[in-house]
Amino acid sequence: MTAYRHVFAALAVAGGITASGAHAQGTVEVLHWWTSGGEAKAVGELKSAFEGRGGTWIDSPIAGGGGDAAMTALRARVVAGNPPTAVQLKGPGIQEWAREGALNDVDAVAQEENWDGVLPPVLAGIMKYEGKYVAAPVNIHRVDWLWASPSALEKAGITEMPTTWDEFNAAADKLQAAGIIPLAHGGQPWQDATVFEDVVLGVGGAEFYRKALVELDQEALKSDTMVAAFDQLRKLRGYVDPNFSGRDWNLATAMVIRGEAGFQIMGDWAKGEFLAAGLEPGKDFLCAPTPGNGYVLNSDSFTFFKVQGEENIQGQQVLASLIMSPDFQKIFNLAKGSIPARTDVPLDEFDECAKRSHADLVAAIENDTLVPSMAHEMAIPRSIRGEFLDLVTAFFNSDMSSQDAVEQLAAAIERVQ
Ligand code: BGC
C-alpha cells in the first residue's frame, strides 16, 4: 500500500468515502499558466499521472508568462467564493493566501511521506504555514540563465559563452556587426524584471542582490552599484530588435531556436521550449549561467484552496502525493527544463544544463549565494514587486537615465513599504 493510500483510507473512514465510488481518487480543478509548448507538455504529464491514479482533472489554464494574469484570475475566483481546488502559486504568495485563511493543508500527506526529509530546507520553509504544509513543490527553476544559438555565435565568430557582462557586451557587438539580433527579448514587465534581476546579481553579487531586492534596503537601492546595474540594462536595451514590445517569452526563445538571435536571458523553462522543438543541449543550443556568482531561485508549487466536498479534498491529497512522488518529479522536470524539488531523485537521465543547475545550487547553498527571484515572486509581496516591474519597464522603454531610475525606484519602494 503506497503512503498516500494510508491517508485516503483514513479520510475515507472519516468522510464516509467508499473505495467503489465513481471517482475514488478525487477531482481537481487546476489553475495554472503553463501554456507554451514545453509548459503544456510538462503539465500534460501531471494531468495524465493524476488520471492514471483514477482522478478527474479539470484544466484551467490562464495564458500569460510569469503568471500575472493567472494571479488576477485567482483573486476574482476567490472573491466570487469559487476557488479552484489547486493553484500554481509561489513564495510569499503562499503565505499571503494562507494568512487569509484560504488554504487547506496537506500536512497529513507530508508527514506520512516525510517531505521534511527530502526537500531542501529553503523550499520546505516556503511550503509551510504555521508549521503545516499548505503547498507541494514540483521543481526548482533557475532564473539566471543565458541561452544561445551555436549557429548564430559561429557566424559572428564567438567561440565561448560570455562569463562577464563585458564579455557579453563584446559578443553582442559582434552579433550586431554580423547582422544578427544579439538578444531575443519579449518586452513584458515580468520579462524585463527577469533580465534586471540577473543583471543585479551579476553586477552587485548575492549580498547586494539580497539587500536591494529582498530586504529593500534604501542605501542599496540608491547605490552606485544599482546605477551600474541600470547602465548594463541600458546596454542590453540596445541589443534587442525593434519588435520586442509585448512579445511572449517563448516567441523570443523561438528566435534563438531559428538562429535569428544569438542569446536569450531567461529561466530554464526556456529549455523546455528548446527540448519540445526537438533540439539537443550542447549541440543545437547552449546554456550557461548569466554572468554573476550565485543562483536565482524560482520554484513552482501547488497550493490547495478551501473547497467543499470530500471528492475535492480527496483530489487535493492525491495531487499532493503525486506531485511529490520521485517518479513524477523526474518525468515532469525532464519536460519542464527544471530540476526536481526533491533532493533524492537521481539526475542520470537529465542533461548537462540540469546537472549544472544542480551543482551550482549546491555550491550556492554552501557559499550563501542562493537568492530568491524577485521577478518570479519568490522574494517580496506582489504589491512591492509591482513597483520594481513598473520602474524597470519604464526605464527599458524610455531614455530615463540610470541615476533617475535609481532615485525613482528607491522612492517608490519607500512609499509602498
Ligand atoms: C514559472 C515557470 C513558467 C514561467 C513562464 C515562471 O514564473 O515559474 O514555471 O514556465 O514563469 O511562464
Side-chain angles (χ1 to χ4, degrees), residues 33-34 39 64-66 88 90 141 190 249 269 298 300 336 376:
W33 65 89
W34 287 332
E39 291 175 335
Q88 184 188 351
K90 341 204 169 128
H141 265 311
W190 74 271
W249 67 272
W269 45 94
N298 176 23
D300 292 304
K336 187 70 173 70
H376 295 276

Side-chain angles (χ1 to χ4, degrees), residues 32 78 99 141 153 178 209 239 310 313-314 339-340 371:
H32 62 88
V78 176
R99 259 197 307 278
H141 265 311
L153 298 200
Y209 179 108
Y239 295 135
E310 286 304 336
I313 294 169
Q314 196 184 12
I339 57 174
V371 294

Side-chain angles (χ1 to χ4, degrees), residues 132-206:
K132 288 189 172 165
Y133 279 93
V134 292
V138 266
N139 63 8
I140 292 176
H141 265 311
R142 180 179 197 173
V143 181
D144 49 324
W145 275 118
L146 185 60
W147 307 95
S149 153
S151 67
L153 298 200
E154 200 186 312
K155 275 187 207 141
I158 301 161
T159 50
E160 304 275 348
M161 286 292 267
T163 58
T164 64
W165 286 109
D166 284 345
E167 282 176 23
F168 179 89
N169 297 340
D173 288 340
K174 284 188 186 166
L175 284 159
Q176 213 151 38
I180 298 166
I181 299 163
L183 185 63
H185 181 66
Q188 295 174 345
W190 74 271
Q191 292 189 61
D192 299 339
T194 297
V195 172
F196 168 73
E197 70 183 11
D198 291 346
V199 169
V200 168
L201 176 70
V203 170

Side-chain angles (χ1 to χ4, degrees), residues 17-32:
I17 300 168
T18 62
S20 60
H23 301 292
Q25 299 298 318
T27 294
V28 282
E29 186 207 342
V30 184
L31 190 145
H32 62 88

Side-chain angles (χ1 to χ4, degrees), residues 23-30 50 54-58 85-86 307 310-316 318:
H23 301 292
Q25 299 298 318
T27 294
V28 282
E29 186 207 342
V30 184
F50 186 73
T56 303
W57 174 284
I58 302 165
T85 346
V307 285
E310 286 304 336
E311 169 74 11
N312 293 325
I313 294 169
Q314 196 184 12
Q316 293 182 327
V318 176

